[in-house]
Amino acid sequence: MSWTRVLASDALAADGRQVVKVGKRKILLLNHEGELYAVDNTCPHLKMPMKNGKITESGAILCPIHRSAFDLSTGEVQEWCPWPPGVGKVLSMISEQKKLPVFPVRVEEGSIWIDLQEE
């Protein structure tokens, strides 16, 4: 594993979100219900930012543009492009379903660390 320090642990509030840049990647850090998650900040469908995506009760983050749902822990697709009604099915054909890259995250020595090696 190749751990990279990305943020002081006290800089991410409870239920907070922050985008950090590591090399050329933008990583979205989320503190959701006391758990830390690190996901690619770019939706794999239309390449839109994920930062403002709603978190569902099932533990998925929704693309704020077309509402594709990705599991926060695994990045697996839970629902692919259901919106907007009538157009969503056409948009879903623009690209194949791809999981959202997720990254291992840990807190150590007062810092948040992520491993950029995709699972």
Side-chain angles (χ1 to χ4, degrees):
M1 292 196 162
S2 177
W3 293 97
T4 302
R5 180 189 178 279
V6 293
L7 194 65
S9 57
D10 60 0
L12 188 62
D15 294 319
R17 298 172 187 219
Q18 188 159 338
V19 176
V20 295
K21 192 168 182 184
V22 181
K24 293 182 180 182
R25 284 196 112 126
K26 290 183 181 178
I27 308 296
L28 174 59
L29 296 173
L30 301 112
N31 183 344
H32 178 65
E33 296 182 351
E35 294 290 327
L36 295 180
Y37 300 93
V39 301
D40 198 298
N41 189 48
T42 305
C43 176
H45 182 236
L46 296 177
K47 310 300 182 209
M48 304 305 282
M50 296 292 290
K51 183 178 181 184
N52 294 320
K54 178 184 173 188
I55 306 296
T56 69
E57 289 182 19
S58 66
I61 185 168
L62 302 179
C63 173
I65 306 302
H66 57 78
R67 299 186 189 144
S68 288
F70 303 93
D71 185 278
L72 275 175
S73 297
T74 65
E76 294 296 328
V77 176
Q78 289 185 350
E79 190 170 20
W80 190 252
C81 201
W83 189 86
V87 179
K89 289 186 188 254
V90 173
L91 286 176
S92 71
M93 293 184 276
I94 291 174
S95 66
E96 67 181 76
Q97 290 188 28
K98 295 179 188 172
K99 69 183 261 182
L100 180 67
V102 298
F103 306 95
V105 61
R106 72 178 189 201
V107 176
E108 188 174 289
E109 300 172 358
S111 296
I112 299 173
W113 300 74
I114 61 172
D115 179 11
L116 290 181
Q117 306 272 331
E118 289 183 36
E119 294 185 318

